[in-house]
Amino acid sequence: MYELNITRPETLADAVEALGHDEAMALGGGQTLIPTLKQRLANPETLVSLTGIAELSGISRDGDMLIIGGTTTHAEVASGATDYPALAALAGGIGDPAVRNRGTIGGSLANDDPAACYPAAVLASGATIVTNTREIAADDFFEGMFTTALHDGEIITAVRFPIPQKANYQKFDQPASRFALVGVFVAQTADGVRVAVTGASEEGVFRWTDAEAALSADFSPTAVDGLNVSADNLIGDLHGTPEYRAHLVKVMTKRAVAASG
Amino acid sequence: MPADGGIGASTKRREDVRFLTGLGNYTDDINIHNQAYVHFLRSDVAHGKLNRVDTRAAEKMPGVIRIFTSKDFEGVGGIPCGWQVTDRFGEPMQEPKHPVLAEGFVRHVGDPIAAVVAETLEQARDAAEAIEMDISELPAVIDMAAALEDGAPKVHEELSSNLCYDWGFVEENSAAVADAIANAAHVTTLELRNQRLVANPMEARVAIGDYNRATDEHTLYTTSQNPHVIRLLMGAFVLGIPEHKLHVISPDVGGGFGTKIFHYAEEAFCTFAAKAVNRPVKWAATRSEAFMSDGQGRDHVTKIELALDKDGHFLALRTDTLANMGAYLSTFAPSVPTWLHGTLMAGNYKTPLIYVNVKAVFTNTVPVDAYRGAGRPEASFQLERVIDKAARELGMDPIELRRKNFITEFPYETPVAVAYDTGDYNATMDKLIEMADFDGFEARREASAKKGKLRGLGVNCYIEACGIAPSNLVGQLGARAGLYESATVRVNATGSITVMTGSHSHGQGHETAFPQVIASMIGIDADQVDIVHGDTAKTPMGMGTYGSRSIAVGGSAMVRAAEKVISKAKKIAAHLMEASEGDIELKDGQFTVAGTDKSVAWGDVTLAAYVPHNYPLEDLEPGLEETAFYDPANFTYPSGAYACEVEVDPDTGKVEICSFHAADDFGNIINPMIVDGQVHGGIGQGIGQALLENCVYDSDGQLLSASFMDYAMPRADDLPFYDVDHSCQTPCTHNPLGVKGCGEAGAIGSPPAVVNAVVDALQRAGHDITHIDMPLSPARVWSAMQG
Amino acid sequence: MTQVSMTVNGESVSGDVEDRTLLVEFLRETLELTGTHVGCDTSQCGACVVHVDGKAVKSCTIFAAEAEGAEVQTIEGEAAPDGTLSTLQQAFQDNHGLQCGFCTPGMVMSAKALLAENPKPTEAEIRAYLSGNLCRCTGYHNIVKAIMAASGQDVSSIAAE
């Protein structure tokens, strides 16, 4: 790891100020960033730790919205997001227990790993990313692999999830990393069904709109039987071909619909 | 279970106390006053010409003590290979130099180019980034078949080709085997790959060099399975340090699995650099570094043909294998696909004619050498897979086909040069059938089908050659070392015992099991016996632990030394009791005179040995300490029968292990609890190979599975409880304990059981699938099901 | 250099370290508590698991500075002051739940966290909870068995000797 400084602000304002400097980088739970730093693949001058800022952490309910603070850990969501069981289950399946005790929702979303779980929940739920300066709709947030709409220094303070009528996340593990080889989040709301897919695409999380239309008309596993996912632009690596991933998208979608409650 | 903690007792492990309380002493736990840190600058290309390595700017970086390149190693030997294979034309293998730091060329990703010694590790890394290099990238050869084509780029320019050797065994059988195959009623053919694996002991390698200028003594702390072997190879062949000035210590070692047998460049570097900079020098591999510098395992591509008569009797067997050596010859690499593989091709069966051809190939990849089982898993896998395929082709029950061909009379001379002393393959198969409830399979299959899962059952046998090895035999086969083992049994004045063994424990529990043997021999409590290992200054010259050899060879050496001790103690006891030596008996720690009520305690005799006031000094030296070197007369031949049931998810191709049963014959057992644990671990690694693990390079030689993010290690939820049994015991006839060794069995026996089970599940579901290469990942199984 | 202070196994400790110092480095190098191990660099093997404020974390993936003021528990604090093994440690020994011992400290600390959350976990729950702890020696059989035994469950029928 290159030499760096760590600051641990206690207020959002101080964190924003600290991140205003060049070569400063936000540190959430660090579960991806610290391994990256160890490999010397990043060289920030200063890490601004967000986990000491009380106002960024916690889970609350606002009408039909579940609001999760940016530094809320996966473990806290797994045990605390009882109003949104599919989201809690997703959080409880990220990484392993020790990783879940440190990793944060804001960190995961800001990193936007193409195989991360949270982006699927955010996109399928039609959630809103709240930052220190603005609110960003999920559909506008994810801009491709490891790329989001966040500006330099912008901090995810919370994520607002509309609670769907029915939802479920099905993850098929990449056998080594246990990230999603393919993960599918299905959410049914009064406005219809949204289906978000992670792990599969070279362009990061995406919505499977054909399935959304079919499931909005008939929310049953067989509704997607006639559909096929194109393997174009899907990831091919030593764990699976694009064709395999395309197939899994459909299988996981059907399973998610069947398990939605 | 004996109450005395002797042979046969499941004694709890004494070493656990330090490991469970954080008081283990692993090499990375050692820090020497004033130590400096090493970082190796490694090649990031698989093949290249080093035009220039300029360290001038880097040397000026903060904290840098010295930067080394190959220029600093002029006059220093290369990393030696410990085994010379002679090819089928009588010529020695091609043996390129393996420099400590790359000389002129880099030949695999991870090949060390330069080494920075600095005050801190991060300073060493900073300076390594400042080294200026000019490398002309050369075409890399990764695929073995391509490497053997005419005109292929050569890994070593000075060699005639990328062929290390073309080995035939038994060469004289070649024509007869071809003839038998040509005329057989049935021939089953299978082409397969035994994929490359990374051993990945949880402790990565560490080396610390220390040098005492006043005494000219070098000390190397290293994560080795065999410190004396390192001392010999490094001292004699690389650095030119005589043994009395070179002290090698392997303290607690966090797993080995073969990859910590070999002598590595980093060990030689740290030893060399400690003198050069006159400071202790420490290197600790990161896991990422381990992936590109630890010797890797397996990587065979094989075609196997089994000829049978119309009744299913095996007539002849022929195998053709390409074996990957990687870029350089690691310590025992040439022996693995040849003598540890070809000699096992008879398996448990009386196949009269066998011919094995192996072409060992250099590629621009990390060197390949022994990994748990080493050659024997490769032999067993292809044989048990081709038998399973033959049974299906002939419409025979796979168990019955095996039974029909079992060797049933012992000793048995195979056509591939080894003589099995004992075994009872029907007994282990019978035990397996008793354990695994094959009769209930159909009901279980139906239950799986109701869940939408495809259930399959796989069965296989294995045999291995352990207790490595008779020195005169392996010498004829090309070993450049003896493979005896040593022990000193030092009896202390008050009767407690310290055993110095050349075996090395890196998880096997020697500190607990070895004393059980002494306890039984003398009749004292095992707590009165301690084991010292892993230090060349403390133990006699020993060859270390690998090839399931510790109890069979190291234990036998200990028994021989203890027998000498007991013989002398009886002389002392005879003197004390004024009796004839021939009448003295030792039982339960008491010497008695046959036919009398005279007795003297073990402790009285040991005290007399060291306080020889009433002692036959004219006939006998004082003291009670004996050393023995034991060279085995033969290999040992553990065997067994394994069964695996799997469920395949037809939607995803994911395989789940439902049950795993193992019936092993290890001969006599010292500590059943430890034996169970060894088998569990071996099965876990074997299932890992069958379903998960895969070391993959792209066509440019970049390692794609370069961390645990892409190399799938088996986790707790990938694996089941295992049902293991070792009640079938045909003791080894040629070592004093009748033991055979158990460390590798699970890793040898389990991959074919899993693959046979998956193929069975798919065939029962109507798929015309006869083989899928390991690992049987969900993607591969699904892809095979698509036709 | 920054001074960090925390409580480790009940004792107040502090040290001057670079900001980039990881908690595991602080434990192993500054405090010389070498029971906590490093087995990988991608946060997967779990050999480095310790508890920070009662929660299992990978000490190779948290800066020492982030544990400022925290209560840290390591393997060295698990046995009683007189050396008596904890119930969990004793179950690992009784059930041969370790071989080379390298993964063991992390395994014990993860298992301790599991039992704090779930005093009588099923086999499947134990296996799932250990997904961040790699062992290369045991095939996990006896680790799972040890944790079941430590939680008071009868393990005699699991692959009986």
Side-chain angles (χ1 to χ4, degrees), chain B residues 160-488:
Chain B
S160 62
S161 72
N162 293 316
L163 181 67
C164 177
Y165 55 73
D166 177 356
W167 183 77
F169 184 68
V170 173
E171 192 59 31
E172 300 81 73
N173 290 350
S174 173
V177 169
D179 206 37
I181 288 173
N183 294 306
H186 187 85
V187 178
T188 297
T189 303
L190 186 59
E191 294 184 35
L192 55 86
R193 171 183 285 273
N194 202 299
Q195 84 272 31
R196 185 182 288 227
L197 301 175
V198 181
N200 277 324
M202 293 320 302
E203 178 204 37
R205 288 187 298 116
V206 182
I208 307 170
D210 195 9
Y211 178 69
N212 184 327
R213 189 173 273 182
T215 60
D216 192 32
E217 285 176 331
H218 301 258
T219 303
L220 171 68
Y221 301 84
T222 182
T223 49
S224 176
Q225 299 175 215
N226 30 244
H228 273 105
V229 174
I230 303 308
R231 188 181 69 166
L232 180 65
L233 292 176
M234 183 176 78
F237 297 100
V238 188
L239 300 179
I241 304 170
E243 282 104 320
H244 70 298
K245 294 295 186 189
L246 180 55
H247 179 188
V248 180
I249 301 170
S250 299
D252 288 330
V253 171
F257 313 112
T259 202
K260 290 177 182 168
I261 298 171
F262 325 127
H263 174 43
Y264 285 99
E266 295 89 350
E267 294 172 316
F269 177 81
C270 289
T271 307
F272 179 88
K275 180 176 181 179
V277 303
N278 200 29
R279 293 266 298 267
V281 167
K282 180 173 187 174
W283 169 75
T286 62
R287 181 61 57 185
S288 298
E289 220 173 354
F291 269 101
M292 54 178 150
S293 65
D294 287 5
Q296 300 178 344
R298 314 277 194 264
D299 207 351
H300 287 193
V301 174
T302 293
K303 178 183 177 187
I304 180 167
E305 297 159 282
L306 175 65
L308 307 92
D309 71 14
K310 62 181 174 33
D311 299 319
H313 296 106
F314 301 167
L315 302 175
L317 185 74
R318 179 168 62 199
T319 81
D320 289 286
T321 289
L322 297 181
N324 209 328
M325 294 287 103
Y328 303 101
L329 290 179
S330 177
T331 306
F332 288 119
S335 70
V336 174
T338 51
W339 300 108
L340 294 175
H341 166 250
T343 54
L344 272 299
M345 282 317 308
N348 310 55
Y349 312 102
K350 46 193 178 198
T351 311
L353 286 165
I354 297 175
Y355 179 69
V356 179
N357 182 265
V358 178
K359 294 181 180 68
V361 186
F362 292 111
T363 60
N364 291 110
T365 60
V366 173
V368 179
D369 203 328
Y371 166 63
R372 199 170 194 167
R376 291 151 290 168
E378 295 91 319
S380 189
F381 183 76
Q382 53 178 297
L383 182 60
E384 294 297 322
R385 285 290 303 124
V386 82
I387 292 171
D388 226 59
K389 188 174 182 222
R392 292 177 189 286
E393 289 173 356
L394 294 170
M396 293 182 67
D397 177 79
I399 293 175
E400 288 316 306
L401 180 60
R402 287 178 169 86
R403 284 194 194 268
K404 187 185 288 263
N405 290 283
F406 273 163
I407 296 161
T408 53
E409 290 176 15
F410 297 87
Y412 180 83
E413 296 261 358
T414 73
V416 275
V418 291
Y420 303 162
D421 58 342
T422 56
D424 187 344
Y425 310 140
N426 277 307
T428 45
M429 183 59 81
D430 291 343
K431 171 55 76 175
L432 182 75
I433 289 168
E434 179 190 321
M435 294 163 73
D437 181 28
F438 293 153
D439 290 344
F441 175 76
E442 198 48 40
R444 294 192 293 275
R445 194 185 68 76
E446 283 171 19
S448 297
K450 283 192 181 125
K451 294 187 294 177
K453 300 288 173 63
L454 316 178
R455 198 176 186 101
L457 169 63
V459 176
N460 68 292
C461 300
Y462 77 89
I463 187 162
E464 56 165 330
C466 298
I468 293 171
S471 293
N472 55 2
L473 173 64
V474 296
Q476 291 166 28
L477 305 183
R480 289 162 169 165
L483 286 168
Y484 53 83
E485 197 46 272
S486 66
T488 294

Side-chain angles (χ1 to χ4, degrees), chain A residues 47-126:
Chain A
L47 290 178
V48 181
S49 169
L50 305 180
T51 50
I53 304 170
E55 63 196 279
L56 293 188
S57 178
I59 301 170
S60 61
R61 177 79 186 249
D62 180 9
D64 59 357
M65 292 279 179
L66 192 70
I67 302 165
I68 299 180
T71 63
T72 311
T73 64
H74 309 328
E76 287 162 350
V77 175
S79 63
T82 48
D83 289 351
Y84 193 168
L87 184 66
L90 173 146
I94 298 172
D96 59 62
V99 166
R100 293 196 285 274
N101 281 333
R102 293 292 302 167
T104 66
I105 187 170
S108 173
L109 293 172
N111 186 51
D112 194 19
D113 188 300
C117 297
Y118 266 130
V122 166
L123 190 59
S125 304

Side-chain angles (χ1 to χ4, degrees), chain A:
Chain A
M1 191 178 302
Y2 293 109
E3 204 162 354
L4 49 77
N5 299 308
I6 297 176
T7 63
R8 302 182 76 210
E10 293 180 0
T11 67
L12 182 59
D14 286 350
V16 170
E17 152 68 21
L19 282 168
H21 296 275
D22 282 352
E23 309 303 329
M25 192 182 276
L27 172 66
Q31 301 302 285
T32 299
L33 179 56
I34 292 175
T36 305
L37 293 168
K38 284 188 211 176
Q39 302 286 347
R40 294 191 162 205
L41 297 174
N43 188 10
E45 195 170 283
T46 301
L47 290 178
V48 181
S49 169
L50 305 180
T51 50
I53 304 170
E55 63 196 279
L56 293 188
S57 178
I59 301 170
S60 61
R61 177 79 186 249
D62 180 9
D64 59 357
M65 292 279 179
L66 192 70
I67 302 165
I68 299 180
T71 63
T72 311
T73 64
H74 309 328
E76 287 162 350
V77 175
S79 63
T82 48
D83 289 351
Y84 193 168
L87 184 66
L90 173 146
I94 298 172
D96 59 62
V99 166
R100 293 196 285 274
N101 281 333
R102 293 292 302 167
T104 66
I105 187 170
S108 173
L109 293 172
N111 186 51
D112 194 19
D113 188 300
C117 297
Y118 266 130
V122 166
L123 190 59
S125 304
T128 301
I129 313 292
V130 183
T131 76
N132 55 309
T133 58
R134 57 184 171 146
E135 298 191 353
I136 309 169
D139 285 314
D140 301 326
F141 182 79
F142 302 104
E143 297 186 342
M145 208 180 258
F146 298 109
T147 312
T148 70
L150 290 174
H151 300 138
D152 283 349
E154 193 172 3
I155 297 170
I156 297 175
T157 57
V159 185
R160 279 211 313 267
F161 287 93
I163 299 173
Q165 296 159 344
K166 290 183 175 178
N168 187 261
Y169 177 63
Q170 292 287 319
K171 172 182 170 187
F172 193 82
D173 287 345
Q174 193 260 56
S177 69
R178 299 285 181 99
F179 275 65
L181 190 71
V182 167
V184 176
F185 200 108
V186 172
Q188 184 184 41
T189 67
D191 299 334
V193 176
R194 288 167 68 109
V195 177
V197 179
T198 189
S201 173
E202 298 277 7
E203 286 150 27
V205 66
F206 69 95
R207 286 173 63 187
W208 186 17
T209 49
D210 289 354
E212 291 181 351
L215 290 166
S216 294
D218 171 15
F219 193 71
S220 73
T222 53
V224 298
D225 277 348
L227 305 180
N228 279 307
V229 181
S230 166
D232 293 348
N233 295 325
L234 296 196
I235 297 168
D237 59 17
L238 70 164
H239 307 290
T241 58
E243 291 72 24
Y244 181 59
R245 282 183 165 84
H247 168 76
L248 282 181
V249 170
K250 186 167 162 179
V251 172
M252 293 298 121
T253 301
K254 289 166 66 110
R255 290 185 179 179
V257 172
S260 289

Side-chain angles (χ1 to χ4, degrees), chain C residues 64-88:
Chain C
E66 294 182 279
E68 171 69 31
E71 298 264 353
V72 176
Q73 286 171 289
T74 73
I75 190 68
E76 285 90 349
E78 289 306 293
D82 71 354
T84 305
L85 299 181
S86 71
T87 303
L88 188 57

